[in-house]
Amino acid sequence: MTEPMFLALTALVDEPRHGYGIVQEVERLSEGKVQLKIGTLYGVLDRLAAEGLVELDREEVQSGRLRRYYRLTDSGEHALQSEVSRLAGTLQTATERLSARRGAVAVRPSIAGGAA
Amino acid sequence: MSLLEQRYRFVLRMLPASYRAEREEEMVDAFLDAAGDVRDEDNLRPGLPEVASVAGLAVRTRIGGLGAPPRARATGDAVRLFALLGLGYLAALAWDNVAAELVLFGLVRAAPDEYLVTGEQWAWALLWIAQGLVWAAAFAMLALARVRPAKVLAVTGLAASVLMYAVLGVMTPEILGWGLLGFLFATALPVVALLSAYHADAPPVRPSAPLTAAPLGVAALYQALALTVGPRVAGSPVESVGWLAPWLDPQGVTIAALLVAGTVCLTRHANPSLLLALAIAAVPMIVLRAPFDYLGAQGDGVQAMALTMLAQAAVLAVLAVALTVAAMRALPRVEGVPGVGQGRSA
């Protein structure tokens, strides 16, 4: 699952959103690092819809313009949960290795000091 | 309709009509929401990243991958297969060139002394071999499912080809002509296919180690053909050489292979993607065989050669049209956008 797909699914967890709503939420979730362009967003939505991870929730007309809202499906929820578990495992490993490295770095000067 | 909206709708015309019928209005809504309050006096245009994102979407919707509607998916599979065949063709040409250069280096079998590579030509000949082997490496990477390195190598190979032909063109301007343009087109088309069809939605490539050696095998077969048939043709009357030679160079053999493969696929109602891939592969060969360089040329056998090339181009063009029509008939015409219209609540 690519980062834009992951973020778009995450953006739909709490409520159905329309295109620009997803763009805004993705930007917020990524702390401004991912700013989806409209063409990219609809490429992501096409892929997610084709895999049955999101579906159309409702259509509204705002200021004479069509606005479609998308919602997360049960499959989408499962897919997101699997991805979160996978990422959590990676995070756990990274955290453990960083802790081990800090421990090693903390020990090294004391050994050096002891020898001196 | 504001000026910015008109301009964005113009950009969206890159997308297929069936896609726009489903998505245009909501894309315009999302874009205008993102643009905020804009007056016509501001004379704003959609930014380059926005236009690029629509262009990327246009490529992915027309040259489809996983989850794409049947026609777009078949087109995508065809372009991907053509990219593989095209890179394979360039890699086989490169191995054939290695064999030719080894002859000219005097390493394999005796060539007349005046043709042998001398001092200052070594660097150029080695450079020529190296740029050819980049194609062999690009094909091998694609066969091994290493798509990104394959793209980098293919772009490098194309840049090297353009640069070397540019240098050659400056040194010997008489080589500049339709044939060279055709060759560059035939070189660039598989690279464009590779870059456009192996996108994020493309189905994963099944790696195949034996496939990496296929171009070398094809080049060896071609060398065997050249060594057995070549001397006999060379010994025949000049007029006969003119009729036969266009079937014996690498392009001629490729054209013969395409004609056989295309006819077999048409009669056996093959997969539409295969039909389309062969139709695309015919295009650069048609361009290469357009005998513009020989119009008005005088000499023994030249007219026979030009007529044979013209006939090859014409037969290939008929085959390409037949393959395209057969493929299109085998695919459903109406296409929607996957997922839109499903699970719609009241």
Side-chain angles (χ1 to χ4, degrees):
Chain A
M1 187 181 290
T2 61
E3 190 184 15
M5 285 170 79
F6 177 77
L7 289 169
L9 280 181
T10 308
L12 294 175
V13 169
D14 54 348
E15 60 176 313
R17 294 179 197 275
H18 58 83
Y20 183 56
I22 299 173
V23 171
Q24 283 179 305
E25 191 61 16
V26 164
E27 191 172 346
R28 209 169 9 246
L29 286 166
S30 66
E31 296 175 340
K33 282 185 184 158
V34 178
Q35 295 176 334
L36 289 179
K37 300 298 166 201
I38 305 304
T40 312
L41 167 72
Y42 280 92
V44 169
L45 277 178
D46 289 343
R47 179 77 187 270
L48 293 174
E51 291 181 15
L53 306 183
V54 304
E55 64 188 8
L56 195 60
D57 183 73
R58 64 185 189 277
E59 289 179 347
E60 288 178 3
V61 177
Q62 294 259 335
S63 316
R65 298 203 306 254
L66 175 72
R67 181 164 283 185
R68 281 189 176 135
Y69 287 76
Y70 294 88
R71 64 170 173 242
L72 194 66
T73 63
D74 290 344
S75 301
E77 190 183 330
H78 292 312
L80 188 59
Q81 185 59 59
S82 307
E83 189 66 7
V84 167
S85 303
R86 191 186 69 77
L87 289 172
T90 311
L91 276 177
Q92 178 71 28
T93 308
T95 308
E96 285 167 9
R97 289 187 182 182
L98 280 171
S99 303
R101 180 186 160 90
R102 277 194 212 103
V105 170
V107 169
R108 231 177 279 147
S110 66
I111 293 171
Chain B
M1 190 186 296
S2 72
L3 194 57
L4 185 62
E5 181 176 342
Q6 280 178 41
R7 286 171 171 168
Y8 190 63
R9 284 184 190 275
F10 182 75
V11 171
L12 292 182
R13 292 179 74 87
M14 282 191 280
L15 298 165
S18 58
Y19 190 91
R20 272 185 286 134
E22 284 287 355
R23 288 284 200 214
E24 179 167 344
E25 296 309 316
E26 59 176 312
M27 288 181 79
V28 168
D29 175 65
F31 173 75
L32 293 178
D33 269 351
D37 284 331
V38 176
R39 295 165 307 161
D40 283 357
E41 301 86 270
D42 299 329
N43 197 26
L44 282 184
R45 292 169 193 282
L48 200 58
E50 283 292 354
V51 176
S53 79
V54 176
L57 183 62
V59 168
R60 283 158 74 161
T61 46
R62 289 177 192 275
I63 306 174
L66 295 169
R71 183 167 285 204
R73 175 62 193 267
T75 308
D77 288 345
V79 178
R80 281 182 284 276
L81 180 56
F82 165 70
L84 185 72
L85 291 174
L87 282 187
Y89 167 77
L90 294 170
L93 274 187
W95 285 119
D96 182 55
N97 185 47
V98 168
E101 295 290 350
L102 288 179
V103 170
L104 295 183
F105 278 135
L107 296 177
V108 176
R109 60 191 162 96
D113 283 350
E114 64 268 28
Y115 292 124
L116 289 181
V117 173
T118 55
E120 69 274 13
Q121 293 170 329
W122 271 78
W124 181 257
L126 283 176
L127 208 60
W128 205 253
I129 288 178
Q131 75 91 22
L133 291 181
V134 171
W135 295 113
F139 176 83
M141 284 294 124
L142 189 57
L144 293 172
R146 306 279 308 277
V147 175
R148 195 179 289 261
K151 286 180 177 177
V152 172
L153 284 164
V155 171
T156 309
L158 179 60
S161 293
V162 171
L163 196 66
M164 290 181 77
Y165 277 106
V167 172
L168 212 57
V170 170
M171 289 184 340
T172 48
E174 60 271 19
I175 70 150
L176 296 172
W178 179 262
L180 180 60
L181 275 181
F183 185 78
L184 286 176
F185 175 68
T187 309
L189 204 60
V191 182
V192 173
L194 177 73
L195 295 180
S196 58
Y198 284 88
H199 46 64
D201 291 343
V205 182
R206 264 183 251 150
S208 165
L211 189 60
T212 56
L216 185 58
V218 170
L221 274 176
Y222 177 72
Q223 278 296 318
L225 177 83
L227 289 173
T228 48
V229 182
R232 287 187 203 170
V233 173
S236 50
V238 174
E239 191 65 17
S240 306
V241 174
W243 294 113
L244 287 173
W247 291 105
L248 294 177
D249 65 338
Q251 285 81 32
V253 174
T254 308
I255 289 168
L258 274 175
L259 291 175
V260 172
T263 311
V264 170
C265 288
L266 274 177
T267 50
R268 295 198 176 176
H269 303 288
N271 178 316
S273 303
L274 180 55
L275 298 174
L276 272 181
L278 292 175
I280 301 169
V283 175
M285 292 299 140
I286 294 169
V287 173
L288 278 169
R289 277 320 197 219
F292 295 132
D293 287 344
Y294 298 95
L295 291 178
Q298 299 293 319
D300 292 335
V302 171
Q303 205 178 4
M305 197 163 79
L307 279 174
T308 309
M309 289 170 70
L310 192 64
Q312 287 176 327
V315 175
L316 269 184
V318 171
L319 179 74
V321 171
L323 287 166
T324 309
V325 170
M328 288 299 139
R329 278 190 182 160
L331 290 166
R333 181 166 292 279
V334 180
E335 305 200 333
V337 175
V340 175
Q342 295 168 10
R344 198 174 289 194
S345 65

